[in-house]
Amino acid sequence: MVLLARTADRLYWGARYVERAEDTARIVRAYNDLVVDYPSDELLRWDPLAAIHGAAVDIEHPADDPAGERAVLRLLIEDRANTSSIASSVTAARTNLRTTREVLPREAWQAVNQLAQYVDSTASAAIERQLRDRFLLRVVEISRRLDGVLESTMTRANPYRMLRLGRLVERADMTTRVLGVAAAGILYMERSDDAQQVNEEVRWMNVLRSVSALQMYQRRVRGPIDAMTAVDFLLNYSSFPRSVRGCLDEIRSVLVSLPAPQPVLVALDEAEATLATIDLDGAEAERLDSAMDRVQQAIATVDQAIHDRFVGTID
C-alpha cells in the first residue's frame, strides 16, 4: 500500500500524542494516589512530575499550596503552552489524525474526537481534587478504547504500522523518563530507619503504578519491592509491554514489515546495545539518571531514523 509521507508523519505523531496524553494521565493519577495514601507526615512535592516531562519551569509554592500541587497539575493537565500537557497532546493528536481519517476505522476517529471534546470541556476543572481522578481515568479509558479499536478492526498495512511505531516509541521514552526522575529521586533519599524503608517501598509502588506495572511486577517477583529489581523489570522484562525492552522488541517486529527498514534497524540495534550496557548491580542515583539519559538519547535516534526513512515516500 502506498502511503504518502504527509500521512505517515501525521499517523506517527498522532499516535505519539495520544500515548503521551494517556501516559501523563497514568503518572499524575498514580502520584495523586501516593500523596493521599503516603504513610508519613512528610510533605510530598509535585515538582518531580514536571521534571518527568523535562519542563524547565520554576514551580510556585505559595503558602496555601506548599507542595506546588496546583501549579504542577495546571502545567501537566491544561497548560496549552506546555506541548506535553494532556490538553496540548490531545489537541495535537486530533489535529494530526483528522487529516488521516480515510485510512482510520470510523470508530477510531470517533474515539479521538470524543477524547478531544472531553478534554477541551473538562481539563480546567480537573485541577480540583473532586474531579481529578475521574478526568484522568476517563482519558486513559478512551485512549485504551482507541487502541482496542485499532487492534481489532484495522488492516495490518502501513498506516497501522506507523500508528504502532508512534505508540511504542513514545511509551519507551516515557518509561525511561519515569525511571530517570522518579526512581533516581528515591535512590537519592537516605534510609535512616524502618519507617523510612516502608516509605521507600511505597514510593517504588508508585513508580510501578505510574506505568501500570505493579500487579505484573508482583506476579513476577514475590516478596517486598526491591529497588533494582523494579528498575530491571521496567527496563528489561520483555514480556511486559511497557518495559523498554518490550517496546524495542515490538518496534522491531513492526519495522520488519515495512519496506527497506535497514537504517532504522541499525538505530534500533544501537538502542538495544545501549540498554544492554546498563549495570544495575548496586546502581546509585547518579548512575541510574545518567543511564536513562543515554537510553532516551538512543530512543531519540530511533525516532529520527523513523522520520528520515518513513516520512519519505513509503513504497
Side-chain angles (χ1 to χ4, degrees):
M1 177 182 179
V2 175
L3 186 63
L4 296 177
R6 180 178 63 255
T7 302
D9 184 55
R10 290 177 178 175
L11 287 168
Y12 178 76
W13 277 103
R16 283 202 68 164
Y17 282 123
V18 171
E19 182 70 27
R20 187 174 301 175
E22 178 188 336
D23 292 349
T24 301
R26 290 178 186 273
I27 291 168
V28 173
R29 190 165 183 251
Y31 197 81
N32 188 67
D33 290 344
L34 173 67
V35 171
V36 171
D37 299 333
Y38 196 59
S40 170
D41 293 332
E42 177 187 353
L43 177 67
L44 294 180
R45 292 185 179 270
W46 286 74
D47 304 50
L49 269 68
I52 286 174
H53 281 289
V57 296
D58 293 327
I59 303 300
E60 297 181 2
H61 300 92
D64 62 342
D65 185 19
E69 178 179 348
R70 293 183 61 83
V72 170
L73 288 172
R74 187 172 291 108
L75 176 73
L76 294 184
I77 292 177
E78 69 161 343
D79 189 353
R80 299 283 178 173
N82 174 20
T83 57
S84 293
S85 73
I86 292 174
S88 293
S89 297
V90 169
T91 298
R94 186 184 186 279
T95 300
N96 277 278
L97 296 177
R98 181 175 58 85
T99 57
T100 65
R101 283 178 288 176
E102 70 277 5
V103 300
L104 289 176
R106 182 180 179 184
E107 289 179 75
W109 168 245
Q110 289 174 339
V112 172
N113 209 33
Q114 180 187 14
L115 178 61
Q117 291 174 349
Y118 177 74
V119 170
D120 283 346
S121 64
T122 317
S124 59
I127 306 301
E128 304 301 328
R129 292 185 179 182
Q130 304 94 306
L131 302 175
R132 186 182 306 161
D133 190 68
R134 183 171 61 184
F135 170 82
L136 297 170
L137 181 59
R138 185 66 173 153
V139 170
V140 173
E141 287 176 342
I142 299 175
S143 176
R144 289 293 84 219
R145 179 160 65 85
L146 170 61
D147 213 28
V149 169
L150 296 175
E151 287 297 309
S152 61
T153 67
M154 191 168 183
T155 303
R156 272 28 177 193
N158 289 335
Y160 170 82
R161 294 172 186 130
M162 294 307 299
L163 288 166
R164 287 300 298 156
L165 285 177
R167 279 274 198 181
L168 292 164
V169 169
E170 185 68 30
R171 189 175 295 170
D173 181 69
M174 191 65 78
T175 298
T176 62
R177 290 178 183 275
V178 168
L179 284 173
V181 175
I186 299 171
L187 293 176
Y188 274 116
M189 297 168 54
E190 294 185 1
R191 183 188 300 177
S192 57
D193 52 32
D194 291 341
Q196 184 63 42
Q197 182 173 352
V198 171
N199 293 349
E200 180 181 313
E201 184 168 348
V202 172
R203 286 176 182 257
W204 279 110
M205 289 174 64
N206 174 69
V207 171
L208 291 165
R209 278 198 185 106
S210 66
V211 289
S212 300
L214 179 59
Q215 184 179 2
M216 294 301 102
Y217 172 86
Q218 290 174 328
R219 288 176 62 87
R220 172 71 175 172
V221 181
R222 304 296 180 180
I225 297 176
D226 173 73
M228 288 303 102
T229 304
V231 172
D232 184 60
F233 181 86
L234 293 179
L235 287 179
N236 295 313
Y237 188 50
S238 59
S239 295
F240 179 63
R242 289 184 174 272
S243 72
V244 177
R245 176 74 64 187
C247 290
L248 297 183
D249 287 350
E250 284 295 312
I251 290 171
R252 182 177 296 277
S253 71
V254 174
L255 286 173
V256 297
S257 299
L258 287 166
Q262 287 78 10
V264 191
L265 289 172
V266 170
L268 184 63
D269 289 340
E270 293 174 356
E272 290 176 336
T274 300
L275 185 62
T277 62
I278 297 176
D279 180 13
L280 297 177
D281 187 17
E284 299 176 349
E286 294 88 345
R287 286 176 55 197
L288 178 61
D289 203 6
S290 175
M292 291 305 98
D293 284 343
R294 295 197 304 273
V295 176
Q296 287 169 31
Q297 290 169 5
I299 293 171
T301 301
V302 173
D303 169 72
Q304 186 60 50
I306 290 171
H307 182 275
D308 292 344
R309 171 61 190 93
F310 296 120
V311 174
T313 301
I314 296 183
D315 299 326

